[in-house]
Amino acid sequence: PRHAQELARAILTWVICAIRPLTVPELRTALEADTGQTVEKLDMAIASLCAQLVYVDKSDRVLMVHLTARSFLVDRKLESTFAVDEKPGHLRLAQSCLQYLCSQEMKPLRGRRARKQLGKPQSGLFTFYASLAFAEHIRQTTSKDLSLAKALNTFLESNVFSWIECIASTTNLSVLTQTSNSLKHHLQRRLKHTSPLDSAIQFAESWVVDLQRMPTKFGDTLITSPSAIHSLIPPFCPASSAIRLGSMSSSKGLKIHGLRDDGWDDRLACINKGDNQIVSVACGESIFAIGLQRGQILLYHNTTCQEWKSLDHQSVLRYMHFDSGGSMLASSGRRNIRVWNVENGLMLWNFDIGQEILALAFCDSDKALIAVTKANSVMSWYLQTGQERDHRRWDDAVDFGDEGQFRRPPVTAAFCPDESLLAIVYRGRPICLWDMEDRSLHGFVGREKDPGSLALGTNTSPASVIFNANQELTLLAAAYEDGDLCLFDYDELRLIESIEANAQILACSGDGLTLASGNSAGMVQLLSFETLQLLYRINTSDYSIRCIAFSADNLRFLDVRGTQCNVWEPAVLSGLVENKDSSTEGEPLKPKIIGMSDGELEIVTIELDNTGDYFFVGKSDGSVCVYAMKDGLERRILYRHTYGIPVTSMLWGHSEMVIATADAASRFI
């Protein structure tokens, strides 16, 4: 019968195109959304209609009997009623999933029902499959179909908040990122058939951006309270964002005034560990690690910036480094190194060293680990056996001639990308370059014309040195204690460029294009490694930058300051990667400056008026101002403390309408 043929074809299409095996109850709901008919005894229908191709296993999952059966049905040469064309098949599944997600089953609850169900997301039989799979089906289907575009926009205009709540209830926020990527891929293909100015395209693209930001900005809140997506999170989003515009917040909900609508900023996430100081950060292929001063190592997912697991170094932590594949992590304390298996969190090796460690890296195609010590030596170990591989000293090769038997210990060091050269920094000396293969002095570099001839203490020491990650570029960057940033050709032993950059900490992107610097005031800069041209700057008045690291794809960088680790994704980095892949030379990039501008004042203290109409602000220049609560804008400056001394505390006496302030010089007004 025709009805039986249509049902069999629908079953085969779902089983073949589903991104994971469906259970019988899930498939029943899926078929109802697809065909509009309910199949009560689906397992019996499968046995009678598709017995030679499909079966139900012991876990109640519906599966193909063999891969050859699947290959037979998707073969384009097959002329049969039951042949399955995968692109139309994925279109069919995508439309069915979207139809279900737009149904009454996923409608957000309102009023008293919503309060009673707070924190209890929708949980229909087909809900989680449709929520997790619809975007992947969209990605794998054609971009020409207008009905799919209409269904997607209907979903984004109606039940998208309930969908986000459903995803958050699973605690797997990476689904939001994966959905964003799949929709982005689909929309890029749709541009071949639709104008980029089309309102539906722009609306969907706005949601693509917002879905990327949800896990990184509000991940902890979503996991703790998935229903927060309806009313608590949207007010903190930019006014022009899709999530803010589509929010269902009532007039009695939370309202925030004073936020500038500049869109999403470049900071994807801020991880704050409270009273625990963060001292180190390292990036792998799919995760990044932050190290706390007390020795705890926290691992986070790159896509969501959500914590995954923790390790314990059990001593004060200094350095961390991933291997090239991101499967191993080396952590260093003052005198010991531990190597970890990232996946299972087990410690592979523990190397106790009698000397202070200055640098470490994986070498020999990740088969060995190498470290520099303050004892003028380099040590390495085989990671297969844990045995010592080599122990070399360079003090005989690096002789300054004016120190006698006493040799100052090095203060920092860095390996070149192939570990054939080591840059060593002594206080008051030029940078020493030691050839690790020949075990001989390669030469000296410094800001002076003849750095090798200078006596002890006649030049300023570098605070940080780093080689360019691209082995074809023989470049070494050095940040000096006085803030100067210098670029050297270590092959020709010459100074290429020197600028005043106020830099103390350095990091290099994996492609060698970008140099990052940080300083004690919390300022971070991105520069072109080959020219030292400024590309990007973050101005803050914050904790000192302790460490900077680039992500494996070179599109993000992370900085560590005080108790915070910030994850940044500036557009300039994606532009550099695109220019590298392009055959044409782009115009020089104009630097982007964000954060506090010159002359911008810090708010030091705030006091609320009892009426709720105004609030008072004390600033870093000693001024005391009044702001309106309804729009967050300054109304007037009430008075100033003399000499521009910052206000430190404030008290508002509402009964007598009197305000009292104190400044850093212990004066009261």
Side-chain angles (χ1 to χ4, degrees), residues 341-361:
N341 181 307
V342 172
E343 185 62 33
N344 57 31
L346 296 178
M347 184 178 67
L348 301 176
W349 304 107
N350 178 34
F351 305 116
D352 289 316
I353 304 171
Q355 299 294 331
E356 190 170 336
I357 300 164
L358 298 178
L360 77 160

Side-chain angles (χ1 to χ4, degrees), residues 8-17 50 53-54 64 73 82 84:
R9 182 177 172 82
I11 292 171
L12 292 173
T13 301
W14 275 95
V15 174
I16 288 174
C17 295
C50 313
L53 299 170
V54 177
M64 297 297 297
L73 290 173
F82 303 106
V84 177

Side-chain angles (χ1 to χ4, degrees), residues 271-311:
I271 300 169
N272 195 323
K273 302 314 295 181
D275 297 331
N276 299 313
Q277 293 288 314
I278 304 176
V279 295
S280 183
V281 63
C283 293
E285 283 293 323
S286 59
I287 62 171
F288 64 89
I290 63 173
L292 306 185
Q293 190 173 42
R294 64 188 184 190
Q296 190 178 14
I297 301 169
L298 305 177
L299 303 180
Y300 290 78
H301 292 288
N302 278 341
T303 54
T304 63
C305 297
Q306 294 298 298
E307 186 175 336
W308 177 38
K309 65 175 62 174
S310 64
L311 312 172

Side-chain angles (χ1 to χ4, degrees), residues 45 75 87 108 175 217 233 270 280 334 374 416 435 443 452 531:
D75 189 346
K87 276 192 178 295
V175 174
K217 286 286 189 182
I233 290 176
C270 175
S280 183
R334 188 180 181 187
K374 268 197 171 183
C416 75
D435 191 318
T531 63

Side-chain angles (χ1 to χ4, degrees), residues 392-509:
R392 311 177 188 180
R393 298 185 63 87
W394 68 74
D395 44 359
D396 292 336
V398 181
D399 185 10
F400 293 105
D402 60 351
E403 288 184 337
Q405 295 183 350
F406 175 74
R407 170 65 59 85
R408 288 190 176 191
V411 293
T412 189
F415 295 103
C416 75
D418 61 0
E419 291 86 32
S420 63
L421 205 63
L422 178 67
I424 311 158
V425 175
Y426 292 92
R427 192 168 301 281
R429 292 292 193 185
I431 302 169
C432 307
L433 298 173
W434 186 53
D435 191 318
M436 295 177 59
E437 294 177 344
D438 296 339
R439 304 194 182 195
S440 62
L441 178 66
H442 178 71
F444 298 99
V445 292
R447 292 184 293 184
E448 298 76 12
K449 288 186 178 180
D450 187 9
S453 65
L454 296 176
L456 179 63
T458 55
N459 61 347
T460 307
S461 309
S464 178
V465 293
I466 192 164
F467 287 89
N468 191 291
N470 185 349
Q471 297 184 29
E472 296 180 0
L473 300 176
T474 57
L475 299 177
L476 172 71
Y480 283 79
E481 292 174 340
D482 59 5
D484 280 2
L485 179 60
C486 295
L487 184 66
F488 303 98
D489 185 319
Y490 60 80
D491 193 27
E492 299 179 3
L493 301 177
R494 64 182 179 90
L495 174 66
I496 298 174
E497 187 66 68
S498 178
I499 62 173
E500 294 181 9
N502 195 12
Q504 278 95 40
I505 298 294
L506 298 178
C508 177
S509 61

